[in-house]
Amino acid sequence: MAVKGTSICSSAARAVSTWAKPDPEAMRRLYTERMILRPWIVADAEALYTYASDPHIGPAAGWMPHTSVAESERVIRTLFSAPDTYAVTLRGDDRPIGCVNLLTGTNSNLPLEENEAEVGYWIGAPFQGRGLIPEAVEALMTHAFADLGLAMLWCGHFDGNLASERVQAKCGFRHRRTETNRYVAPIDAFRTVHISSISRQEWQQRLSARHH
């Protein structure tokens, strides 16, 4: 509810078995074939507003459309300053076109164990349908399992959001349960939510299958 192969997947399985806590500054960017995922900065506010003001984007992900550049700036200073929250940018163009993040603890929309996280994602309308978000989420999954040593990732989508459902399926998430009439406070509405997950073991098995 929240936003194919990456350049770092080839060493991911080995990285899990030899995991050591990384220097935080070294983990501030994630790279894929077509994108760079980087921290948000205040100067991104105008670009964020361009896409986050779209009435079809936010409500599908569980938040209201932004109403001003000032609101987008506040979001960057608060919500988007959280750890492991990345602006999605295309290589060669530093302008954000979407967002992916890991939500943990009370920041998550789901009840999580200490070694679990929820994956969130969205992308601007002009960039949908190009496989960019699955590619970005794959990089985020590698970071979560190989770098952070998490045991499980969760994700959810509203009933009828087929695009989000496809993202999760492409990335190996499996449906676990459905919650009906769930109240979503940011949009002040009740929704049916389909919840899926992938464990580190399942992720490792997917990597192994790719390389055989």
Side-chain angles (χ1 to χ4, degrees):
M1 282 168 335
V3 228
K4 289 154 177 159
T6 73
S7 59
I8 51 181
C9 274
S10 59
S11 61
R14 184 173 63 257
V16 169
S17 62
T18 59
W19 177 78
K21 190 172 182 63
D23 177 355
E25 291 302 313
M27 302 308 302
R28 291 181 64 81
R29 289 176 180 252
L30 305 178
Y31 297 88
T32 80
E33 181 179 350
R34 295 180 290 174
M35 289 169 288
I36 297 174
L37 314 181
R38 61 161 177 79
W40 288 88
I41 57 175
V42 172
D44 294 328
E46 185 174 341
L48 174 58
Y49 176 70
T50 297
Y51 303 116
S53 59
D54 185 331
H56 300 292
I57 299 295
W63 44 271
M64 294 299 291
H66 293 194
T67 58
S68 67
V69 174
E71 180 183 3
S72 294
E73 181 176 327
R74 287 195 298 273
V75 169
I76 291 171
R77 292 184 182 275
T78 55
L79 297 176
F80 285 7
S81 66
D84 297 307
T85 300
Y86 298 93
V88 175
T89 69
L90 296 173
R91 286 182 179 265
D93 184 352
D94 196 46
R95 180 181 172 88
I97 60 172
C99 181
V100 295
N101 62 350
L102 295 174
L103 301 170
T104 58
T106 58
N107 291 324
S108 172
N109 300 291
L110 304 169
L112 301 176
E113 300 293 335
E114 185 176 347
N115 60 349
E116 299 178 349
E118 177 189 359
V119 174
Y121 52 81
W122 62 266
I123 195 166
F127 304 93
Q128 295 176 358
R130 295 165 54 179
L132 292 169
I133 280 297
E135 185 177 318
V137 170
E138 290 272 14
L140 191 66
M141 291 167 61
T142 298
H143 173 55
F145 289 130
D147 300 324
L148 302 181
L150 297 182
M152 182 80 75
L153 292 177
W154 294 86
C155 203
H157 70 274
F158 295 148
D159 191 54
N161 189 342
L162 299 181
S164 187
E165 182 180 1
R166 285 193 294 269
V167 168
Q168 293 170 39
K170 287 180 180 178
C171 293
F173 284 78
R174 297 182 180 181
H175 179 264
R176 306 300 182 185
R177 67 181 186 271
T178 295
E179 298 182 4
T180 59
N181 294 319
R182 177 171 179 162
Y183 181 64
V184 184
I187 59 175
D188 190 26
F190 290 89
R191 293 286 186 269
T192 294
V193 182
H194 303 288
I195 298 170
S196 61
S197 69
I198 183 172
S199 69
R200 181 165 55 183
Q201 182 179 11
E202 290 169 332
W203 171 76
Q204 289 174 310
Q205 290 171 346
R206 291 181 75 239
L207 290 185
S208 297
R210 287 179 181 177
H211 297 117
H212 284 86

